Structures are given as C-alpha cells and as structure tokens.
C-alpha cells in the first residue's frame, strides 16, 4: 500500500523508503521462511510492474531467482523431513517468473527474456502451449503476449503469429493479443476474427478488432456497424483491465471523427475520458483513500 501511495503521489523518496523496507522484510525471511519470502517477492514484483517500476522489478526478480537456485541446491542435500522446509509453491514460482518476464520485455532486455523462457527450470511445463491459460498478475495480459513479443524480437515472426493465434483461441477476450496479432497479420486477420465471432456470439472483442481493420481500410460505415454490434453485445465492457475498458468507444470516436460527426465523436471521447479517470480513482479506492477516490469519480461523471 505504501508503494502504491508513493507512486500515486509521485513521491520518489517515499517510494524508495517503502521499497527498501519491503526488501528488508523479504531478505529476513530467506533463512526461516523461504516459501513466504518467495510469495512476498512475487507480490512485490507484481506491484512494481503494475506501477511501471520495471527496473526495480527486474532487479528484485533476479535476486529472488538466485535465492531460489540456492534453496533448491540446499533442499537436494537434505533429508526428506528437513527438505520440506525448503519446498516452494509452483504457483508463486510461476508468478515470479511471469512478472520477471514482463519486466524484462518492458525494458527491452530481450536476451535475458529469452534466457528466462528457454533455460529457467521452474516453469513446470513442457512447452508454451501449457502457459496459454496463464496470465501476468500485474496487467492481466496472457503469458502468450510476452512469449510472442520475445519471439518476434528474435526474428521468429511465424512462431510469434502461431503463439498469438493459439492464445486468441484460449483467451478470445484479451485486447493485447488482438492488437499484437493485427500488427503482424494485418488484413489477413479477418479470417480468424470471423471464426472467433462465430464461435462465441457473446464475445465482443472480435467485432471490435474487425472494426479496427475496417477503419484501417477506410470502410467507415462497416466499422461503425461492427462497433455498434459490439456495444449491443456488451455495452459496459467492465470485465477488461485498466487501459482496455471502453476501447470500443475510443474506436467509435475515431470512426465518427472520420465521418465528420463531431458531436458523436466528442460524446464517445467523453466516455473514454470518464473511464480512464475512474480507473485512476479505483487505485486510490484500493488503498483506502476514499475521499480522493470519490473526488475523481465525480470528475469522471463530468465527462460522462
């Protein structure tokens, strides 16, 4: 909570103090409570990534993974009863790995990200297919998003596209996957989008991203029709994570601007401004700063 508060207040000294305190608590647990230390480290890494402190997250992740390696080595030499003290949760290990992967990708440290994917012994899976149901806690993006980004940076465009296609089948509601897939496939993506829309009439994301392709092609009337169908399917869009909610209205504002309808464009733009401000209010609410949150919610109502 102190880290999030310092971040919201852009209080760099306060953030550094809270970070030092958190790392001190984690370090004190490595000897007697290693499993708890890893859980705390994974949670701290998630908070750091969520607030955009990727360098701190990557450094913390590296230190923690080194500690995990030492613990595994110690456990292998212990008697069965004693080694249980060093048993580690697969869930926390994977959370730690996924947050570390995100931090490295956000920082553009591609060789380290590749090494983490290919050489870490703690993923607990045989290949990428078994990770497609996982997501990174700090931004709720599927792990496949980051796997594909690393593959593309390595010049493996075909592999990146295959990962994204498989990920869309598993998680057809993830905007980050659609955005990455369209960047690679372009207008060819229409085929898969049509299949996804036909497979689930209650999922609006294929319609939204179909409209994106239609807009890119200058098919504004068709784009507006697709977006309206998406809105009719799910007008609130509330299940999406911060930054993705109400995306359909942002696309609709763009389409209305292209059609010269300034009034409707401004209306849809107001919807997006309101939700983005309310997402910031949510962060204040989550740390218990209710007065500040309510003030921001009221400001959001001024837009929509």
């Amino acid at each position: 909570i102190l880290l999030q508060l310092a971040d919201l207040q852009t209080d760099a000294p306060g953030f550094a103090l809270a970070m030092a305190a958190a790392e001190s608590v984690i370090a004190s647990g490595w000897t007697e409570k290693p499993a708890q230390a890893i859980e705390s480290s994974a949670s701290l890494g998630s908070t750091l990534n969520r607030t955009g402190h990727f360098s701190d997250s990557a450094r913390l992740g590296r230190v923690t993974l080194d500690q995990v390696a030492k613990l595994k080595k110690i456990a292998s030499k212990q008697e069965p009863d004693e080694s249980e003290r060093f048993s580690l949760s697969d869930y926390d290990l994977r959370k730690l790995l996924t947050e570390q992967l995100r931090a490295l990708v956000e920082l553009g440290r591609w060789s380290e990200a590749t090494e983490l994917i290919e050489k870490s012994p703690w993923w607990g899976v045989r290949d990428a297919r078994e990770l497609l149901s996982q997501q990174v806690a700090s931004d709720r993006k599927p792990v496949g998003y980051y796997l594909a980004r690393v593959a593309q940076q390595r010049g493996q465009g075909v592999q990146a596209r295959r990962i994204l296609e498989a990920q869309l089948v598993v998680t057809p509601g993830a905007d980050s996957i659609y955005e990455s897939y369209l960047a690679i496939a372009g207008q060819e993506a229409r085929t898969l989008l049509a299949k996804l829309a036909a497979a689930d009439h209650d999922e609006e994301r294929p319609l939204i991203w179909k409209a994106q392709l239609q807009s890119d092609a200058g098919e504004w009337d068709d784009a507006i029709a697709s977006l309206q169908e998406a809105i009719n399917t799910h007008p609130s869009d509330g299940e999406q994570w911060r930054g993705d909610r109400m995306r359909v209205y942002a696309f609709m504002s763009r389409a209305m601007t292209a059609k010269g309808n300034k009034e409707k464009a401004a209306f849809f733009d107001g919807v997006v401004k309101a939700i983005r401000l309310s997402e910031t209010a949510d962060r204040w609410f989550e740390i218990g700063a209710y007065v500040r949150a309510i003030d921001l919610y009221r400001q959001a109502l001024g837009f929509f």
Side-chain angles (χ1 to χ4, degrees):
I1 291 177
L2 290 174
L3 283 168
Q4 294 181 66
L5 180 61
D7 179 70
L8 284 165
Q9 294 179 323
T10 61
D11 177 8
F15 189 93
L17 286 172
M19 182 67 185
E23 289 188 283
S24 177
V25 170
I26 292 171
S28 67
W30 283 119
T31 303
E32 296 300 325
K33 298 180 179 180
Q36 184 175 320
I38 289 176
E39 179 184 2
S40 298
S41 184
S43 296
L44 179 56
S46 181
T47 298
L48 291 169
N49 281 341
R50 192 179 304 119
T51 55
H53 293 82
F54 302 116
S55 293
D56 286 326
S57 178
R59 176 181 54 77
L60 174 70
R62 182 67 269 161
V63 170
T64 305
L65 288 171
D66 287 344
Q67 287 286 355
V68 169
K70 292 177 183 178
L71 290 171
K72 290 286 188 180
K73 189 174 181 179
I74 292 171
S76 67
K77 298 178 180 179
Q78 301 294 322
E79 295 297 327
D81 291 343
E82 178 65 15
S83 66
E84 287 189 10
R85 186 162 68 90
F86 298 96
S87 63
L88 307 174
S89 162
D90 290 339
Y91 171 81
D92 289 326
L93 282 174
R94 190 171 295 172
K95 182 179 179 181
L96 177 66
L97 288 168
T98 56
E99 294 295 352
Q100 181 71 349
L101 177 60
R102 181 190 176 191
L104 294 174
V105 168
E106 298 283 6
L107 293 167
R109 288 157 57 171
W110 303 108
S111 60
E112 292 177 64
T114 299
E115 183 178 4
L116 183 72
I117 292 169
E118 295 184 347
K119 297 183 179 181
S120 175
W122 302 304
W123 287 104
V125 298
R126 290 169 296 181
D127 56 41
R129 285 175 295 183
E130 297 181 48
L131 290 173
L132 298 182
S133 62
Q134 307 292 314
Q135 64 180 11
V136 180
S138 58
D139 62 2
R140 298 189 187 176
K141 288 181 179 177
V143 173
Y145 169 79
Y146 292 102
L147 298 176
R149 285 193 64 182
V150 173
Q152 193 167 15
Q153 283 293 325
R154 296 178 63 193
Q156 298 173 335
V158 173
Q159 184 182 35
R161 179 168 175 167
R162 289 178 63 193
I163 292 172
L164 293 169
E165 288 172 344
Q167 187 69 72
L168 279 174
V169 173
V170 176
T171 54
D175 281 315
S176 57
I177 305 300
Y178 286 98
E179 189 170 22
S180 296
Y181 182 58
L182 265 61
I184 293 176
Q187 295 294 334
E188 293 178 6
R190 293 195 189 211
T191 301
L192 180 56
L193 295 184
K195 291 180 179 179
L196 292 171
D200 186 354
H201 296 292
D202 293 325
E203 177 53 67
E204 75 278 14
R205 306 332 272 184
L207 295 168
I208 295 173
W209 290 96
K210 173 186 175 183
Q212 174 68 36
L213 292 175
Q214 292 168 328
S215 298
D216 291 343
E219 302 167 4
W220 294 109
D221 290 334
D222 290 339
I224 290 171
S226 296
L227 291 169
Q228 189 58 58
E229 185 179 354
I231 292 171
N232 293 341
T233 300
H234 201 321
S236 68
D237 209 18
E239 82 281 4
Q240 296 297 318
W241 188 233
R242 294 167 188 160
D244 285 329
R245 294 172 189 158
M246 304 297 191
R247 183 182 290 266
V248 64
Y249 297 102
F251 285 6
M252 186 68 92
S253 179
R254 176 192 174 198
M256 289 300 174
T257 298
K259 292 289 291 182
N261 192 330
K262 295 182 180 179
E263 183 177 351
K264 285 191 174 181
F267 169 77
F268 288 117
D269 186 54
V271 175
V272 178
K273 286 180 179 177
I275 197 63
R276 295 294 170 265
L277 187 55
S278 72
E279 287 170 348
T280 299
D282 289 344
R283 293 186 62 198
W284 286 99
F285 187 89
E286 288 165 5
I287 64 172
Y290 302 125
V291 173
R292 175 60 174 153
I294 290 170
D295 179 58
L296 290 173
Y297 286 135
R298 284 175 175 156
Q299 290 181 42
L301 289 172
F303 292 109
F304 179 60

